[in-house]
Amino acid sequence: MITLREISAPIREELRTFQDHFRNAMRSKVGLVDVIARYLLRQKGKKIRPILVLLTSKVCGGTTPATYRAATLVEILHTATLIHDDVVDGADTRRGLASINAIWKNKVAVLMGDYLLSRGLLLSLEREDFYFLKVLSDAVRRMSEGEILQIEKSRRLDIDEETYLKIISDKTASLISTCCELGAASTTPDEEKWKQMRSFGENIGMAFQIRDDLLDHMGTKSMTGKPTGLDTKEKKLTLPLIHAFRKAPRKERKAIMQLIKSQASRNGKIRIREFVKTYGGIDYAIRKAEYYSNLAREELQPFPDSPSKTALLKFIDFVTARSN
């Protein structure tokens, strides 16, 4: 099983340097803000987004001071969105620790998320990284629109595959594609390489989210670290279920839809999972994730072989095989 530690091996030193940049960018002269920032640094995430910035920069030429600013910028934004997500979801924990809203309540959590967003903006403006700011601002727009579209469709329960793909493209793939584009833009003036890396990130982001949605139907809490069936509980219709609805007889579709509307019990969730498997939802979603993974591989082909390129290829395998 490929691990993130193995993937990040070619950038081990660069990750340490990034961590110093990230820590410095989070600091504040306001006591409570600084306390919360230091607490956030204890929530050690996977750092997937800065890893992608650093690897794509090395594939395109090598890390520069701008690369570290780009990696810091995307991680600050990602951290801010997680804080806001925890408030919206009423989450009590994040990465094994109590969430910001659980300790300091919603008002402080929202303001801390806003503070981090402003730090990211200032980080770009201070060094006149205007292109970084433009690309990232567009990603924030897409993420917000994707989230709102998903809420709208969850209320109506009328999502089709085309809408689902748009939602995950905006919600998840937009930020991953931004990471890869900024990694390239931080080290080379060749805009064709920016475009290739953006496309690589978009496709691997699509595969990443489809695989994540699959885990909700085929994983276990011990595998994923979170309860399964959350998507159906929150009335989110993801690709495995959308495909099963398309293939199932009308009578069964109506029965399963009623279970989702009534927020199914434990037995109901088991029935939904069996329905998805019976009508090919699992296999279809696996094939779709592989389709996007193969598109991502194609985007990497023109780049010369290197340890960092190999690491990105391993990242594709990591995404398609992930169990958490």
Side-chain angles (χ1 to χ4, degrees):
M1 184 70 182
I2 296 170
T3 64
L4 281 174
R5 181 177 177 81
E6 182 182 346
I7 291 165
S8 62
I11 52 164
R12 198 150 290 154
E13 289 302 318
E14 288 86 349
L15 269 176
R16 292 193 187 98
T17 304
F18 153 76
Q19 195 63 31
D20 291 339
H21 281 262
F22 185 58
R23 189 181 298 110
N24 291 335
M26 297 269 279
R27 284 178 178 162
S28 171
K29 293 179 181 178
V30 176
L32 181 57
V33 175
D34 201 54
V35 167
I36 298 173
R38 282 188 275 115
Y39 182 78
L40 285 168
L41 289 167
R42 288 174 56 198
Q43 296 179 338
K44 297 186 184 298
K46 296 175 182 175
K47 298 290 185 292
I48 285 174
R49 288 148 193 86
I51 285 171
L52 288 174
V53 174
L54 294 168
L55 284 174
T56 50
S57 73
K58 290 196 81 170
V59 168
C60 292
T63 52
T64 67
T67 306
Y68 294 112
R69 294 198 299 274
T72 301
L73 181 58
V74 295
E75 190 66 3
I76 284 178
L77 171 67
H78 180 58
T79 304
T81 60
L82 293 181
I83 294 172
H84 285 164
D85 285 349
D86 286 345
V87 173
V88 171
D89 297 338
D92 294 327
T93 59
R94 166 66 63 182
R95 294 166 178 164
L97 296 173
S99 61
I100 304 302
N101 51 296
I103 300 174
W104 287 282
K105 308 304 178 188
N106 285 351
K107 186 174 183 179
V108 170
V110 169
L111 291 170
M112 188 65 191
D114 292 345
Y115 165 76
L116 291 177
L117 286 171
S118 69
R119 285 296 299 131
L121 295 173
L122 287 170
L123 187 67
S124 297
L125 293 171
E126 285 166 1
R127 297 302 182 96
E128 299 185 351
D129 295 323
F130 299 128
Y131 185 73
F132 290 5
L133 193 56
K134 176 180 180 293
V135 173
L136 198 68
S137 296
D138 190 57
V140 173
R141 175 193 61 79
R142 289 180 62 193
M143 289 162 67
S144 302
E145 288 180 349
E147 195 73 56
I148 292 170
L149 179 58
Q150 184 170 63
I151 292 169
E152 177 190 359
K153 291 297 182 179
S154 296
R155 289 172 178 169
R156 296 180 183 175
L157 288 172
D158 65 348
I159 187 171
D160 57 17
E161 183 173 333
E162 182 181 358
T163 306
Y164 165 81
L165 293 175
K166 174 171 174 49
I167 287 170
I168 67 170
S169 172
D170 287 344
K171 271 188 62 180
T172 303
S174 61
L175 186 55
I176 292 179
S177 67
T178 292
C179 293
C180 298
E181 181 175 2
L182 295 189
S186 72
T187 193
T188 176
D190 187 342
E191 294 187 16
E192 185 58 31
K193 290 181 179 178
W194 303 1
K195 181 180 176 182
Q196 287 171 296
M197 282 304 183
R198 179 172 68 241
S199 182
F200 164 78
E202 179 77 21
N203 285 305
I204 199 59
M206 296 292 284
F208 185 96
Q209 189 58 55
I210 292 170
R211 192 73 197 180
D212 195 66
D213 292 340
L214 264 166
L215 291 175
D216 196 62
H217 290 282
M218 58 187 285
T220 63
K221 186 173 181 179
S222 62
M223 283 171 59
T224 64
K226 59 183 180 181
T228 57
L230 283 178
D231 287 338
T232 48
K233 182 180 179 182
E234 295 172 4
K235 300 181 183 177
K236 294 176 183 175
L237 302 189
T238 55
L239 189 58
L241 195 51
I242 290 167
H243 180 77
F245 274 131
R246 193 162 57 209
K247 294 295 182 181
R250 184 171 179 271
K251 186 176 179 180
E252 284 198 58
R253 288 202 308 267
K254 287 183 69 176
I256 295 297
M257 186 62 77
Q258 193 55 48
L259 281 175
I260 295 170
K261 287 179 178 177
S262 63
Q263 295 191 324
S265 63
R266 183 175 179 276
N267 287 338
K269 289 175 185 175
I270 292 172
R271 187 178 169 192
I272 291 169
R273 290 178 73 167
E274 289 174 349
F275 170 81
V276 167
K277 187 174 181 180
T278 298
Y279 290 101
I282 300 295
D283 292 339
Y284 181 79
I286 289 172
R287 290 197 301 272
K288 201 74 173 179
E290 288 174 349
Y291 165 76
Y292 284 109
S293 295
N294 288 333
L295 289 179
R297 284 190 184 90
E298 288 174 13
E299 293 295 347
L300 290 179
Q301 281 185 356
F303 293 94
D305 291 340
S306 68
S308 294
K309 178 181 173 179
T310 300
L312 287 177
L313 290 168
K314 286 181 180 179
F315 181 72
I316 297 173
D317 295 333
F318 168 81
V319 166
T320 52
R322 64 189 289 252
S323 60
N324 57 51

